[in-house]
């Protein structure tokens, strides 16, 4: 089935799976998992990148193969997130940024006021902003109005693996915004990714679900297939849910049997 690419910041991506680079047992396993995922866009936490001398995460990533998506993980204020994005740009990581402004250290839920402020600032400064947000349709609309190139609502808390806790809010977000919607956080296994894509999400971003699996490389393959299958199912159009059965082999029009 023909499908259009995912477009972010004017760049086209055939893969709708975005994968993180943290928490892997080793850089070698990370490289194998990235390849198995089929992802073209991968996130890197700016604070984990050694921008000076010595070994760096970037030494283990083929930047000719992958587009880097620096993120502002670990930032708790708008000013801190904006400074981190500036640092990433100055280091040559580009103007595409996954924006995180965390409001609570235990749940890692976003600070939506700080997120909106940082989004407006970075958009004015020429960044392509992909904000990590909660699953509030009103906030998603405000982020779009602020100039966000996509909205990235959580499915569940970061690293929880709980799957989509409120698919109905995600569905409302999809109805209310026109920018791409990418589920970010909470995916635990392949079925979670498939559900997100079946709802109509434009992509799925994950890290812990792959890096923390018993076999990260195999899980990366599973996630690749799940995202593709969920997208195909959405494009194909599922049957309506019904309370009662509908015969798979209709009897209308068949000749009557007589004894």
């Amino acid at each position: 089935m023909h499908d259009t690419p995912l477009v972010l910041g004017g760049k086209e991506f055939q893969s709708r799976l975005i994968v993180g680079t943290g928490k892997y047992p080793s850089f070698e396993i990370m490289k194998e998992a990235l390849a198995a995922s089929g992802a073209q866009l991968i996130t890197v936490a700016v604070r984990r990148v050694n921008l000076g001398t010595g070994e760096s995460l970037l030494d283990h990533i083929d930047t000719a193969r992958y587009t880097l998506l620096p993120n502002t993980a670990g930032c708790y204020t708008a000013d801190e997130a904006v400074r981190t994005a500036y640092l990433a740009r100055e280091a040559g990581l580009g103007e595409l940024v996954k924006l995180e402004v965390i409001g609570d250290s235990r749940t890692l839920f976003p600070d939506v006021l700080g997120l909106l402020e940082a989004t407006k600032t970075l958009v004015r400064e020429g960044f392509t902003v992909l904000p990590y947000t909660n699953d509030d349709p009103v906030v998603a609309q405000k982020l779009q109005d602020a100039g966000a190139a996509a909205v990235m609502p959580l499915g569940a808390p970061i690293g929880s693996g709980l799957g989509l806790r409120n698919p109905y809010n995600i569905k409302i977000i999809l109805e209310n915004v026109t920018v791409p919607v990418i589920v970010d956080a909470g995916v635990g296994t392949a079925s979670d990714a498939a559900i997100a894509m079946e709802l109509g999400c434009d992509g799925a971003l994950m890290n812990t679900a792959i890096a923390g699996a018993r076999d990260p490389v195999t899980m990366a393959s599973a996630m690749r297939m799940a995202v593709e299958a969920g997208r195909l199912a959405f494009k194909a159009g599922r049957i309506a849910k019904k309370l009662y059965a509908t015969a798979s082999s209709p009897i209308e029009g068949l000749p009557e049997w007589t004894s």
Side-chain angles (χ1 to χ4, degrees), residues 30-44:
M30 178 197 73
K31 289 193 293 183
E32 292 180 21
L34 292 179
S37 74
Q40 297 169 292
L41 182 61
I42 60 173
T43 66
V44 292

Side-chain angles (χ1 to χ4, degrees), residues 105-127:
S105 61
R106 185 169 63 91
T107 63
L108 299 181
F109 285 149
D111 174 353
V112 295
L113 295 179
L115 186 66
L116 278 166
E117 179 186 342
T119 297
K120 292 175 183 178
T121 299
L122 291 174
V123 168
R124 286 198 304 268
E125 295 297 319
F127 286 87

Side-chain angles (χ1 to χ4, degrees), residues 26 30 33-34 43 63-64 72-73 87 91-92 102 115 119 122 145 191 197 225 227 236:
S26 69
M30 178 197 73
L34 292 179
T43 66
T63 54
T72 62
L87 178 63
I102 301 301
L115 186 66
T119 297
L122 291 174
D145 295 344
S191 58
M197 300 306 294
M225 290 184 279
V227 168

Side-chain angles (χ1 to χ4, degrees), residues 45 54 86 89 100 135 141-142 155 161 194 206 238 240 249 257:
Y86 286 153
R89 183 165 67 179
E100 296 183 28
D135 59 0
Q141 179 69 60
K142 289 181 180 294
M206 62 194 71
R238 65 158 293 143
S249 301
W257 294 95

Side-chain angles (χ1 to χ4, degrees), residues 175-193:
E175 293 174 356
N176 286 0
V177 303
T178 57
V179 296
V181 175
I182 300 169
V183 164
D184 178 10
V187 169
T189 191
S191 58
D192 299 331

